Amino acid sequence: MEELIQFRNVKKSYQIGEKQFNALDGVDFSINRGEFVVILGPSGAGKSTLLNLLGGMDQTTSGEIIVGGEKISDYDEEQLTVYRAERIGFIFQFYNILPTLTVLENVELINDIVKKPKPAMEILKDVGLAEHASKFPNQLSGGEQQRVSIARAIAKNPLLLLCDEPTGALDSKTGVEVLKLLKKQCEGKEDGNTVIIVTHNALIAEVADRVIRLKNGKIVSNEKNEAPKAIEEVTW
């Protein structure tokens, strides 16, 4: 498989009073195109910092981040803005959809951001929300609202789907449906996405193609899962 992402001795430090805190402390790993990846670790491990750097929302203190052959760690703010808009789909624990817009309008928002979006109604059909297109977020369940946020991210036609605890606010049954939808984005398509989920839920790691474990800002392990379980096989 083609190598898509490389982190090379990446450090991210913050000054807190007189002390320096290393949120990431010399991180090295690589991820292949089309993988369903779980980054696992406890609170404070550096997961969200890593995701923010990969998503172009923050910049490294030192080290290199290479995505699709481009060294994004050298990008200036203008380049990072374009990178975020055109190449990254973000999915968060809390859905970040606009309450005054319909489901369809929330997804169509990205038409003003990217050059080649996917058709919004087509994506809503894919995520099982076509019949809710004219509804407002307060008329939807939590799982349906999360599917709206996933549809919006997919409609950008991004290189990467970056997910920060995407099932954290959902019950287990709804969380399973969301994970199925995310994993489907990697499977059986030449133009499939690479999906990266940061979570503290070790069960999600059982269905991943690759599991990267973080602790205290360092990589503990980066393992390819040779036999990932089907989501239905995991006891949630």
Side-chain angles (χ1 to χ4, degrees):
M1 292 178 90
E2 178 190 350
E3 195 170 71
L4 180 66
I5 298 165
Q6 297 174 61
F7 271 53
R8 297 175 177 172
N9 196 28
V10 171
K11 295 184 180 181
K12 180 63 182 179
S13 303
Y14 300 95
Q15 199 69 28
I16 302 176
E18 296 181 357
K19 294 184 178 180
Q20 181 173 284
F21 170 67
N22 296 320
L24 290 179
D25 192 8
V27 168
D28 290 279
F29 67 87
S30 62
I31 290 172
N32 295 328
R33 186 182 296 272
E35 286 189 315
F36 185 77
V37 180
V38 168
I39 298 175
L40 196 63
S43 296
K47 304 186 302 298
S48 292
T49 299
L50 190 156
L51 206 69
N52 288 342
L53 292 174
L54 183 55
M57 292 188 289
D58 205 350
Q59 294 176 302
T60 65
T61 301
S62 63
E64 296 180 342
I65 301 175
I66 299 168
V67 179
E70 296 282 330
K71 193 185 294 185
I72 69 163
S73 48
D74 285 349
Y75 280 4
D76 59 26
E77 192 53 50
E78 185 177 347
Q79 289 172 307
L80 285 174
T81 299
V82 174
Y83 169 77
R84 288 192 301 268
E86 296 186 351
R87 310 196 81 185
I88 305 297
F90 293 104
I91 300 164
F92 300 99
Q93 177 175 348
F94 301 104
Y95 321 122
N96 293 334
I97 54 179
L98 298 179
T100 57
L101 298 182
T102 66
V103 167
L104 180 60
E105 290 168 340
N106 264 285
V107 177
E108 287 179 333
L109 273 177
I110 53 87
N111 292 351
D112 298 326
I113 299 172
V114 298
K115 295 175 182 176
K116 295 180 180 179
K118 294 182 177 181
M121 274 306 301
E122 180 181 307
I123 299 301
L124 287 176
K125 288 177 185 176
D126 287 346
V127 302
L129 288 176
E131 64 187 42
H132 299 303
S134 61
K135 290 184 179 179
F136 289 91
N138 65 2
Q139 297 174 287
L140 305 177
S141 68
E144 288 167 340
Q145 290 184 60
Q146 184 62 295
R147 279 191 275 160
V148 174
S149 72
I150 293 171
R152 185 176 57 195
I154 294 169
K156 287 179 74 174
N157 200 15
L159 181 68
L160 298 173
L161 280 174
L162 304 182
C163 315
D164 193 353
E165 297 283 5
T167 63
L170 305 174
D171 62 78
S172 59
K173 181 180 178 181
T174 307
V176 165
E177 294 305 312
V178 166
L179 286 175
K180 285 181 182 177
L181 182 56
L182 289 171
K183 193 163 187 182
K184 181 182 175 184
Q185 304 313 306
C186 302
E187 294 176 345
K189 297 180 295 182
E190 289 184 6
D191 62 343
N193 300 112
T194 301
V195 177
I196 300 173
I197 296 177
V198 300
T199 183
H200 64 274
N201 186 347
L203 289 174
I204 300 178
E206 296 183 32
V207 304
D209 299 314
R210 181 178 301 277
V211 182
I212 298 172
R213 288 180 167 82
L214 268 178
K215 186 176 182 181
N216 298 327
K218 294 180 180 290
I219 298 290
V220 177
S221 63
N222 176 8
E223 299 175 347
K224 185 171 177 60
N225 188 355
E226 298 299 339
K229 289 184 179 180
I231 291 172
E232 296 85 352
E233 294 177 322
V234 178
T235 303
W236 301 95

PDB file of all heavy atoms in Angstrom, residues 118-130 147 151 154 181 184-185 189:
ATOM      1  N   LYS A 118     -18.729  16.415  -3.398  1.00  0.00           N
ATOM      2  CA  LYS A 118     -19.660  15.382  -3.842  1.00  0.00           C
ATOM      3  C   LYS A 118     -21.086  15.905  -3.679  1.00  0.00           C
ATOM      4  O   LYS A 118     -21.350  16.735  -2.797  1.00  0.00           O
ATOM      5  CB  LYS A 118     -19.469  14.108  -3.014  1.00  0.00           C
ATOM      6  CG  LYS A 118     -18.121  13.434  -3.230  1.00  0.00           C
ATOM      7  CD  LYS A 118     -18.021  12.149  -2.420  1.00  0.00           C
ATOM      8  CE  LYS A 118     -16.710  11.422  -2.679  1.00  0.00           C
ATOM      9  NZ  LYS A 118     -16.591  10.159  -1.920  1.00  0.00           N
ATOM     10  N   PRO A 119     -22.033  15.429  -4.494  1.00  0.00           N
ATOM     11  CA  PRO A 119     -23.421  15.908  -4.388  1.00  0.00           C
ATOM     12  C   PRO A 119     -24.014  15.625  -3.015  1.00  0.00           C
ATOM     13  O   PRO A 119     -23.976  14.482  -2.539  1.00  0.00           O
ATOM     14  CB  PRO A 119     -24.147  15.123  -5.484  1.00  0.00           C
ATOM     15  CG  PRO A 119     -23.069  14.716  -6.441  1.00  0.00           C
ATOM     16  CD  PRO A 119     -21.847  14.496  -5.611  1.00  0.00           C
ATOM     17  N   ALA A 120     -24.566  16.652  -2.390  1.00  0.00           N
ATOM     18  CA  ALA A 120     -25.039  16.539  -1.014  1.00  0.00           C
ATOM     19  C   ALA A 120     -26.137  15.483  -0.866  1.00  0.00           C
ATOM     20  O   ALA A 120     -26.113  14.676   0.068  1.00  0.00           O
ATOM     21  CB  ALA A 120     -25.531  17.895  -0.518  1.00  0.00           C
ATOM     22  N   MET A 121     -27.117  15.465  -1.774  1.00  0.00           N
ATOM     23  CA  MET A 121     -28.204  14.497  -1.652  1.00  0.00           C
ATOM     24  C   MET A 121     -27.709  13.069  -1.836  1.00  0.00           C
ATOM     25  O   MET A 121     -28.182  12.141  -1.183  1.00  0.00           O
ATOM     26  CB  MET A 121     -29.312  14.795  -2.658  1.00  0.00           C
ATOM     27  CG  MET A 121     -30.338  15.797  -2.185  1.00  0.00           C
ATOM     28  SD  MET A 121     -31.128  15.424  -0.588  1.00  0.00           S
ATOM     29  CE  MET A 121     -31.883  13.837  -0.912  1.00  0.00           C
ATOM     30  N   GLU A 122     -26.732  12.900  -2.700  1.00  0.00           N
ATOM     31  CA  GLU A 122     -26.153  11.569  -2.908  1.00  0.00           C
ATOM     32  C   GLU A 122     -25.505  11.068  -1.620  1.00  0.00           C
ATOM     33  O   GLU A 122     -25.662   9.893  -1.245  1.00  0.00           O
ATOM     34  CB  GLU A 122     -25.113  11.651  -4.030  1.00  0.00           C
ATOM     35  CG  GLU A 122     -24.436  10.335  -4.361  1.00  0.00           C
ATOM     36  CD  GLU A 122     -23.408  10.500  -5.475  1.00  0.00           C
ATOM     37  OE1 GLU A 122     -23.781  11.050  -6.537  1.00  0.00           O
ATOM     38  OE2 GLU A 122     -22.258  10.091  -5.288  1.00  0.00           O
ATOM     39  N   ILE A 123     -24.790  11.945  -0.935  1.00  0.00           N
ATOM     40  CA  ILE A 123     -24.140  11.568   0.320  1.00  0.00           C
ATOM     41  C   ILE A 123     -25.183  11.305   1.405  1.00  0.00           C
ATOM     42  O   ILE A 123     -25.051  10.366   2.195  1.00  0.00           O
ATOM     43  CB  ILE A 123     -23.149  12.660   0.774  1.00  0.00           C
ATOM     44  CG1 ILE A 123     -22.051  12.857  -0.274  1.00  0.00           C
ATOM     45  CG2 ILE A 123     -22.528  12.301   2.122  1.00  0.00           C
ATOM     46  CD1 ILE A 123     -21.239  11.621  -0.571  1.00  0.00           C
ATOM     47  N   LEU A 124     -26.221  12.108   1.457  1.00  0.00           N
ATOM     48  CA  LEU A 124     -27.277  11.882   2.453  1.00  0.00           C
ATOM     49  C   LEU A 124     -27.944  10.522   2.247  1.00  0.00           C
ATOM     50  O   LEU A 124     -28.300   9.848   3.215  1.00  0.00           O
ATOM     51  CB  LEU A 124     -28.312  13.006   2.403  1.00  0.00           C
ATOM     52  CG  LEU A 124     -27.859  14.346   2.984  1.00  0.00           C
ATOM     53  CD1 LEU A 124     -28.941  15.400   2.789  1.00  0.00           C
ATOM     54  CD2 LEU A 124     -27.509  14.210   4.468  1.00  0.00           C
ATOM     55  N   LYS A 125     -28.098  10.103   0.990  1.00  0.00           N
ATOM     56  CA  LYS A 125     -28.617   8.761   0.723  1.00  0.00           C
ATOM     57  C   LYS A 125     -27.655   7.706   1.259  1.00  0.00           C
ATOM     58  O   LYS A 125     -28.076   6.716   1.865  1.00  0.00           O
ATOM     59  CB  LYS A 125     -28.827   8.576  -0.777  1.00  0.00           C
ATOM     60  CG  LYS A 125     -30.005   9.347  -1.347  1.00  0.00           C
ATOM     61  CD  LYS A 125     -30.098   9.169  -2.860  1.00  0.00           C
ATOM     62  CE  LYS A 125     -31.208  10.031  -3.441  1.00  0.00           C
ATOM     63  NZ  LYS A 125     -31.253   9.954  -4.920  1.00  0.00           N
ATOM     64  N   ASP A 126     -26.364   7.925   1.054  1.00  0.00           N
ATOM     65  CA  ASP A 126     -25.361   6.960   1.500  1.00  0.00           C
ATOM     66  C   ASP A 126     -25.374   6.780   3.016  1.00  0.00           C
ATOM     67  O   ASP A 126     -25.095   5.687   3.510  1.00  0.00           O
ATOM     68  CB  ASP A 126     -23.959   7.406   1.065  1.00  0.00           C
ATOM     69  CG  ASP A 126     -23.730   7.238  -0.429  1.00  0.00           C
ATOM     70  OD1 ASP A 126     -24.530   6.542  -1.079  1.00  0.00           O
ATOM     71  OD2 ASP A 126     -22.752   7.809  -0.944  1.00  0.00           O
ATOM     72  N   VAL A 127     -25.661   7.856   3.742  1.00  0.00           N
ATOM     73  CA  VAL A 127     -25.636   7.763   5.209  1.00  0.00           C
ATOM     74  C   VAL A 127     -27.034   7.543   5.790  1.00  0.00           C
ATOM     75  O   VAL A 127     -27.231   7.579   7.001  1.00  0.00           O
ATOM     76  CB  VAL A 127     -24.993   9.022   5.855  1.00  0.00           C
ATOM     77  CG1 VAL A 127     -23.582   9.225   5.336  1.00  0.00           C
ATOM     78  CG2 VAL A 127     -25.835  10.272   5.633  1.00  0.00           C
ATOM     79  N   GLY A 128     -28.005   7.294   4.914  1.00  0.00           N
ATOM     80  CA  GLY A 128     -29.351   6.955   5.373  1.00  0.00           C
ATOM     81  C   GLY A 128     -30.169   8.126   5.874  1.00  0.00           C
ATOM     82  O   GLY A 128     -31.056   7.959   6.718  1.00  0.00           O
ATOM     83  N   LEU A 129     -29.906   9.327   5.349  1.00  0.00           N
ATOM     84  CA  LEU A 129     -30.605  10.510   5.845  1.00  0.00           C
ATOM     85  C   LEU A 129     -31.390  11.252   4.761  1.00  0.00           C
ATOM     86  O   LEU A 129     -31.848  12.369   4.991  1.00  0.00           O
ATOM     87  CB  LEU A 129     -29.599  11.488   6.479  1.00  0.00           C
ATOM     88  CG  LEU A 129     -28.998  11.091   7.819  1.00  0.00           C
ATOM     89  CD1 LEU A 129     -27.964  12.119   8.240  1.00  0.00           C
ATOM     90  CD2 LEU A 129     -30.072  10.944   8.890  1.00  0.00           C
ATOM     91  N   ALA A 130     -31.543  10.654   3.589  1.00  0.00           N
ATOM     92  CA  ALA A 130     -32.219  11.355   2.490  1.00  0.00           C
ATOM     93  C   ALA A 130     -33.615  11.806   2.898  1.00  0.00           C
ATOM     94  O   ALA A 130     -34.044  12.919   2.560  1.00  0.00           O
ATOM     95  CB  ALA A 130     -32.280  10.454   1.261  1.00  0.00           C
ATOM     96  N   ARG A 147     -24.476  11.650  11.985  1.00  0.00           N
ATOM     97  CA  ARG A 147     -24.418  11.245  10.577  1.00  0.00           C
ATOM     98  C   ARG A 147     -24.450  12.465   9.645  1.00  0.00           C
ATOM     99  O   ARG A 147     -23.865  12.433   8.566  1.00  0.00           O
ATOM    100  CB  ARG A 147     -25.559  10.280  10.244  1.00  0.00           C
ATOM    101  CG  ARG A 147     -25.252   8.842  10.670  1.00  0.00           C
ATOM    102  CD  ARG A 147     -26.261   7.878  10.112  1.00  0.00           C
ATOM    103  NE  ARG A 147     -27.440   7.788  10.956  1.00  0.00           N
ATOM    104  CZ  ARG A 147     -28.627   7.341  10.557  1.00  0.00           C
ATOM    105  NH1 ARG A 147     -28.799   6.963   9.302  1.00  0.00           N
ATOM    106  NH2 ARG A 147     -29.633   7.280  11.385  1.00  0.00           N
ATOM    107  N   ALA A 151     -21.688  13.159   6.926  1.00  0.00           N
ATOM    108  CA  ALA A 151     -22.054  13.440   5.533  1.00  0.00           C
ATOM    109  C   ALA A 151     -21.378  14.719   5.054  1.00  0.00           C
ATOM    110  O   ALA A 151     -20.860  14.775   3.925  1.00  0.00           O
ATOM    111  CB  ALA A 151     -23.571  13.560   5.408  1.00  0.00           C
ATOM    112  N   ILE A 154     -17.704  13.928   4.433  1.00  0.00           N
ATOM    113  CA  ILE A 154     -17.518  13.089   3.238  1.00  0.00           C
ATOM    114  C   ILE A 154     -17.757  13.902   1.969  1.00  0.00           C
ATOM    115  O   ILE A 154     -17.064  13.731   0.962  1.00  0.00           O
ATOM    116  CB  ILE A 154     -18.471  11.882   3.286  1.00  0.00           C
ATOM    117  CG1 ILE A 154     -18.114  10.952   4.438  1.00  0.00           C
ATOM    118  CG2 ILE A 154     -18.426  11.102   1.969  1.00  0.00           C
ATOM    119  CD1 ILE A 154     -19.168   9.880   4.704  1.00  0.00           C
ATOM    120  N   LEU A 181     -20.384   3.208   9.362  1.00  0.00           N
ATOM    121  CA  LEU A 181     -20.408   4.220   8.320  1.00  0.00           C
ATOM    122  C   LEU A 181     -18.996   4.749   8.044  1.00  0.00           C
ATOM    123  O   LEU A 181     -18.590   4.919   6.886  1.00  0.00           O
ATOM    124  CB  LEU A 181     -21.330   5.359   8.755  1.00  0.00           C
ATOM    125  CG  LEU A 181     -21.554   6.515   7.789  1.00  0.00           C
ATOM    126  CD1 LEU A 181     -22.075   6.010   6.451  1.00  0.00           C
ATOM    127  CD2 LEU A 181     -22.542   7.501   8.406  1.00  0.00           C
ATOM    128  N   LYS A 184     -16.847   2.075   6.320  1.00  0.00           N
ATOM    129  CA  LYS A 184     -17.276   1.907   4.933  1.00  0.00           C
ATOM    130  C   LYS A 184     -16.531   2.862   3.998  1.00  0.00           C
ATOM    131  O   LYS A 184     -16.318   2.551   2.821  1.00  0.00           O
ATOM    132  CB  LYS A 184     -18.784   2.155   4.845  1.00  0.00           C
ATOM    133  CG  LYS A 184     -19.380   1.989   3.452  1.00  0.00           C
ATOM    134  CD  LYS A 184     -20.865   2.312   3.476  1.00  0.00           C
ATOM    135  CE  LYS A 184     -21.458   2.259   2.069  1.00  0.00           C
ATOM    136  NZ  LYS A 184     -22.892   2.662   2.064  1.00  0.00           N
ATOM    137  N   GLN A 185     -16.093   4.000   4.531  1.00  0.00           N
ATOM    138  CA  GLN A 185     -15.406   4.988   3.692  1.00  0.00           C
ATOM    139  C   GLN A 185     -14.048   4.490   3.205  1.00  0.00           C
ATOM    140  O   GLN A 185     -13.506   5.005   2.226  1.00  0.00           O
ATOM    141  CB  GLN A 185     -15.227   6.316   4.457  1.00  0.00           C
ATOM    142  CG  GLN A 185     -16.507   6.926   4.989  1.00  0.00           C
ATOM    143  CD  GLN A 185     -17.614   6.944   3.952  1.00  0.00           C
ATOM    144  OE1 GLN A 185     -17.425   7.459   2.849  1.00  0.00           O
ATOM    145  NE2 GLN A 185     -18.768   6.400   4.311  1.00  0.00           N
ATOM    146  N   LYS A 189     -13.065   0.694  -2.375  1.00  0.00           N
ATOM    147  CA  LYS A 189     -13.130   1.760  -3.366  1.00  0.00           C
ATOM    148  C   LYS A 189     -11.725   2.292  -3.611  1.00  0.00           C
ATOM    149  O   LYS A 189     -10.979   2.548  -2.674  1.00  0.00           O
ATOM    150  CB  LYS A 189     -14.012   2.907  -2.878  1.00  0.00           C
ATOM    151  CG  LYS A 189     -15.455   2.543  -2.649  1.00  0.00           C
ATOM    152  CD  LYS A 189     -16.246   3.747  -2.177  1.00  0.00           C
ATOM    153  CE  LYS A 189     -15.796   4.245  -0.833  1.00  0.00           C
ATOM    154  NZ  LYS A 189     -16.595   5.386  -0.357  1.00  0.00           N
TER     155      LYS A 189
END
